[in-house]
Amino acid sequence: MKNITNWQKNKPNKLKYIIAIDPAGGRQTGIIIYNVLQQKIINNITFHSKNEEEAINNIYLILNNFQKQTCSYLNKVLVIIEDYQLHKGLKITNPLSTPKFIGGLKVLCKYLFNLKYVLQSPVAKKNYSYKGNIKMTEHEHDAWKHLQIFFNKRSW
């Protein structure tokens, strides 16, 4: 990814890593881990969960592993979480599973791993498409879109 945004030019030392998450409490969750210094995706992950408890445990394991690898940078990590939004025609078996997962994810970030996080609307991710070499699942692609939104819309 060679797209250097104004945010990256003006704030290169503010963040070292961004973790973008497209959460689903009872389905697939997509994650992109982006190294701001290297300006590249260093990991893309999709996991399937039967319910929000399993999803919270899965994300805990991923964040714990990330923390072990990057412990000196934890105060320079931002987590972007796609927020939950009900809309007409949404067909899921447990509509509370994803909001519960998002709540658990916020607790993990804030109180256990001491990570800053932002919530972004799922509606905002339109009009972005990945043109790189990494093969991504649909949910990883959605997480990547939230990373692009952050770079293009935020002024940190």
Side-chain angles (χ1 to χ4, degrees), residues 33 88 122:
I33 301 176
K88 186 176 181 176

Side-chain angles (χ1 to χ4, degrees), residues 100-151:
K100 287 178 181 178
F101 175 38
I102 292 170
L105 184 52
K106 289 165 53 177
V107 169
L108 286 175
C109 288
K110 185 171 182 174
Y111 298 109
L112 187 60
F113 293 104
N114 197 28
L115 298 172
K116 295 177 185 90
Y117 67 86
V118 295
L119 296 173
Q120 289 189 155
S121 168
V123 176
K125 67 184 177 190
K126 294 180 181 178
N127 302 322
Y128 289 94
S129 91
Y130 178 73
K131 294 180 171 66
N133 311 8
I134 299 171
K135 294 204 184 274
M136 293 186 196
T137 66
E138 175 187 351
H139 302 285
E140 291 166 358
H141 190 245
D142 283 350
W144 175 86
K145 289 177 184 180
H146 281 288
L147 181 66
Q148 299 310 304
I149 293 162
F150 175 80
F151 283 144

Side-chain angles (χ1 to χ4, degrees), residues 10-152:
N10 297 329
K11 307 285 186 180
N13 296 320
K14 183 103 174 165
L15 293 174
K16 304 293 184 203
Y17 297 96
I18 299 174
I19 302 171
I21 303 173
D22 176 38
R27 299 180 316 238
Q28 290 186 350
T29 293
I31 302 169
I32 295 293
I33 301 176
Y34 183 80
N35 183 314
V36 176
L37 297 175
Q38 296 175 1
Q39 299 177 22
K40 71 176 191 176
I41 295 169
I42 58 170
N43 206 348
N44 55 308
I45 304 161
T46 295
F47 64 81
H48 187 273
S49 306
K50 295 176 195 147
N51 54 46
E52 66 274 5
E53 289 89 3
E54 185 177 12
I56 291 166
N57 186 60
N58 287 334
I59 201 77
Y60 166 80
L61 294 172
I62 291 167
L63 291 175
N64 193 45
N65 186 45
F66 177 79
Q67 180 183 33
K68 287 177 184 176
Q69 295 173 356
T70 60
C71 59
S72 63
Y73 292 116
L74 279 184
N75 63 342
K76 296 187 180 207
V77 176
L78 177 74
V79 179
I80 301 170
I81 304 167
E82 180 183 278
D83 205 357
Y84 187 73
Q85 182 175 345
L86 287 172
H87 56 82
K88 186 176 181 176
L90 185 66
K91 295 181 181 181
I92 55 177
T93 56
N94 184 352
L96 294 178
S97 184
T98 299
K100 287 178 181 178
F101 175 38
I102 292 170
L105 184 52
K106 289 165 53 177
V107 169
L108 286 175
C109 288
K110 185 171 182 174
Y111 298 109
L112 187 60
F113 293 104
N114 197 28
L115 298 172
K116 295 177 185 90
Y117 67 86
V118 295
L119 296 173
Q120 289 189 155
S121 168
V123 176
K125 67 184 177 190
K126 294 180 181 178
N127 302 322
Y128 289 94
S129 91
Y130 178 73
K131 294 180 171 66
N133 311 8
I134 299 171
K135 294 204 184 274
M136 293 186 196
T137 66
E138 175 187 351
H139 302 285
E140 291 166 358
H141 190 245
D142 283 350
W144 175 86
K145 289 177 184 180
H146 281 288
L147 181 66
Q148 299 310 304
I149 293 162
F150 175 80
F151 283 144
N152 291 321

